[in-house]
Amino acid sequence: MHAWPASEVPALPGQGRDLRIHDTATGGRVTLTPGPVARLYVCGITPYDATHLGHAATYNAFDLVQRVWLDTKRQVHYIQNVTDIDDPLLERAAATGEDWQTLAERETSLFREDMTALRMLPPEHFVGAVETIPRIVPLVERLREAGAAYDLDGDVYFSVEADPHFGEVSRLDVETMRLLSAERGGDPERSGKKNPLDPMLWMAAREGEPSWDGGSLGRGRPGWHIECVAIALDHLGMGFDVQGGGSDLAFPHHEMGASHAQALTGEHPFARTYVHAGMVALDGAKMSKSKGNLVFVSGLRHDGVDPAAIRLTLLAHHYRSDWEYTPAVLAAAEERLARWRGAVSRPDGPPAGEVVDEIRAALADDLDTPTALDAVDRWAAAQAGRGGTDTGAPGVVSRAVDALLGLAL
C-alpha cells in the first residue's frame, strides 16, 4: 500500500531542541532522546468513511513530532497502518450494499488526498491489515503455543494475565477497563473467556464475511490489536520511541498491543513513550462515525476552504486538549492566515531570529502550538505596525512556519 507525496521541509538555520512531551504511561512529561533515527508508529484509519477533523487533529499532532525531530537533524522512521478489515468496515459495506474492498480503497484514497492537502508528512511505510495477515498468523500461533492465548469456539483469545506489565500503558482500574472494552470493540460479557478483558487475536470465519487461511488457526481474520503489533515489530522492533494515536486508543488498543508484543518477545516496553491526542467535538459531543456528528476535511475543501486554514484551526488548540469545532473557530483561522500571509509578503520586516526561537521552544514544550502561533502573531503585528529593515526576515518567518508548523504561506 502506498502513502502520499511528501511536501518539502525547508532547512532552517541553527538546530531545534529535544522534545519534552506528555507520556500516558507515566502520567508526566518525558524528554525524547532518540538516536540518529527516531522511530514512530501512529495508528491509522479504519476506512469506512472520510477523514474528519478529529482524525486530522491526531495526525497533525504526530506530524509536529516529526517536524521537531527533523529540526534536531534526526531522520524519522514513521509507520502508519490502515485497518482495512474490521467489523465497522463490514457493517458499513453491508448497510450501503457496497463491496467492502471497494469502500476501503475509496476512503483510503480520499484520506491520502486530505493528508496531501494538509501537508502532513507521509509515513515511510503505510501498511494495510489485509496485506499483513501472513505475518499476523505466525504471531498468534506463537502466543498460543506459549500458553499466552487460548481457543474459544474456534476463536483465539489473548490472555492478559500472560503479560505482567498489563495495565501500565493506560493506568486504568479494572472496572474502567471493562467499561471501555465494551464500548470500544471488546466483548467482556462473552462467556467462556478466562478474563473478561481478554481480547480476540483471531476470529474464526463467519458466514458471509471475508476470511483468510490461518494455518493451524483455521480460516478467519485477525483481531484489531495484533494487526498493529505485527506491523510495528516488522518495521520498528521493540522499544521504539513513540506509539501515537487519539486518546481513545490508550485503552484498549495500545494497552493490548503492548501486552501482545511483550508476551511475544519477553521484552519490555513495546514503545518507550505513549502519546495521545485529544478529541474534537461538534454540537457538544465527540466527533465520531457512530454518532454521525462529523466535519469532513474533504467537505471543507470542497466548499473552498484553504487547507492551510484547516490546519491552522487544528494548530490553534493544544494537541492534548479536547475542543469543539465551530464555524467561528475556522473563521478565526482564516483571518489569522490572511494576516500572516500579508506580513510575509512585504519586502522587509522586524528581525526574525527571536520568533524562530520562540516557535522552537514552544513546540519542544509538549507541542505547545498556541504559544507558537502567538509568537508569529506578535511578529506579524510588529510588521503591520512599524515594519522593519531586515530584508531577510519575511522569508525566514515563512520558512520557519512551513518547516515547523507545516503551513505554506
Side-chain angles (χ1 to χ4, degrees):
M1 185 176 289
H2 67 278
W4 54 93
S7 56
E8 183 179 355
V9 180
L12 299 177
Q15 184 169 319
R17 310 179 187 190
D18 281 336
L19 175 58
R20 187 166 174 78
I21 201 162
H22 184 85
D23 175 23
T24 301
T26 61
R29 293 189 185 184
V30 298
T31 300
L32 302 181
T33 55
V37 180
R39 296 176 295 163
L40 169 67
Y41 188 97
V42 178
C43 295
I45 59 167
T46 300
Y48 64 95
D49 214 336
T51 315
H52 59 70
L53 285 182
H55 294 138
T58 293
Y59 299 119
N60 180 68
F62 297 100
D63 186 76
L64 295 172
V65 171
Q66 294 178 78
R67 291 174 184 276
V68 171
W69 276 338
L70 292 171
D71 193 41
T72 62
K73 313 307 180 188
R74 291 181 171 96
Q75 298 178 42
V76 180
H77 191 22
Y78 170 33
I79 312 299
Q80 188 180 133
N81 73 299
V82 179
T83 304
D84 54 355
I85 182 65
D86 201 9
D87 287 344
L89 174 64
L90 298 177
E91 291 164 4
R92 177 62 59 87
T96 60
E98 186 172 13
D99 176 76
W100 66 273
Q101 291 171 299
T102 302
L103 173 61
E105 289 171 3
R106 185 184 68 246
E107 296 303 334
T108 302
S109 178
L110 182 55
F111 175 75
R112 292 188 188 99
E113 293 174 13
D114 288 336
M115 294 297 99
T116 302
L118 293 174
R119 305 181 81 251
M120 303 291 183
L121 298 174
E124 184 174 0
H125 296 284
F126 190 52
V127 189
V130 170
E131 66 184 286
T132 310
I133 289 174
R135 298 196 291 278
I136 292 173
V137 170
L139 298 186
V140 178
E141 290 175 328
R142 282 170 50 193
L143 285 168
R144 189 170 62 175
E145 291 165 4
Y150 58 94
D151 294 353
L152 179 59
D153 299 329
D155 300 326
V156 182
Y157 279 86
F158 176 75
S159 175
V160 296
E161 295 174 3
D163 175 32
H165 298 284
F166 175 73
E168 292 180 4
V169 172
S170 61
R171 300 180 301 117
L172 299 173
D173 61 77
V174 171
E175 183 57 32
T176 301
M177 287 183 181
R178 186 164 179 158
L179 291 172
L180 290 177
S181 176
E183 292 174 9
R184 298 173 179 175
D187 55 0
E189 302 305 320
R190 183 173 180 177
S191 62
K193 292 171 63 175
K194 293 182 178 179
N195 185 311
L197 296 175
D198 290 347
M200 192 178 293
L201 291 166
W202 186 259
M203 177 186 289
R206 266 58 165 175
E207 184 177 354
E209 294 186 359
S211 62
W212 289 264
D213 180 13
S216 68
L217 307 176
R219 290 196 65 83
R221 56 186 170 92
W224 176 27
H225 318 302
I226 193 66
E227 161 206 347
C228 285
V229 171
I231 295 170
L233 289 178
D234 191 32
H235 292 283
L236 298 175
M238 289 293 287
F240 58 92
D241 295 292
V242 170
Q243 164 96 67
S247 59
D248 55 347
L249 295 186
F251 190 89
H253 189 49
H254 290 168
E255 188 74 70
M256 297 301 182
S259 284
H260 291 358
Q262 288 155 186
L264 276 164
T265 65
E267 299 175 28
H268 175 267
F270 179 43
R272 294 170 61 191
T273 310
Y274 289 86
V275 179
H276 295 101
M279 298 288 103
V280 181
L282 179 70
D283 299 329
K286 183 193 83 169
M287 284 191 192
S288 69
K289 293 176 181 180
S290 60
K291 292 187 176 70
N293 61 331
L294 305 173
V295 176
F296 295 114
V297 172
S298 56
L300 292 174
R301 293 195 293 115
H302 182 268
D303 291 340
V305 177
D306 189 327
I310 301 173
R311 180 153 186 158
L312 200 47
T313 299
L314 307 175
L315 292 166
H317 302 85
H318 190 272
Y319 82 96
R320 283 197 294 116
S321 67
D322 296 332
W323 56 278
E324 183 160 358
Y325 172 81
T326 65
V329 172
L330 176 60
E334 290 175 316
E335 189 275 334
R336 175 180 255 157
L337 181 63
R339 282 191 286 110
W340 287 11
R341 284 180 169 163
V344 301
S345 68
R346 294 177 61 173
D348 50 35
E354 185 174 334
V355 69
V356 175
D357 289 343
E358 290 176 351
I359 295 171
R360 280 173 161 158
L363 293 181
D365 184 17
D366 199 27
L367 303 178
D368 186 358
T369 53
T371 295
L373 301 193
D374 287 345
V376 183
D377 281 341
R378 288 193 297 274
W379 182 87
Q383 174 75 302
R386 61 183 181 276
T389 58
D390 187 340
T391 57
V396 170
V397 171
S398 180
R399 289 190 295 276
V401 168
D402 187 348
L404 301 174
L405 299 174
L407 290 167
L409 300 180

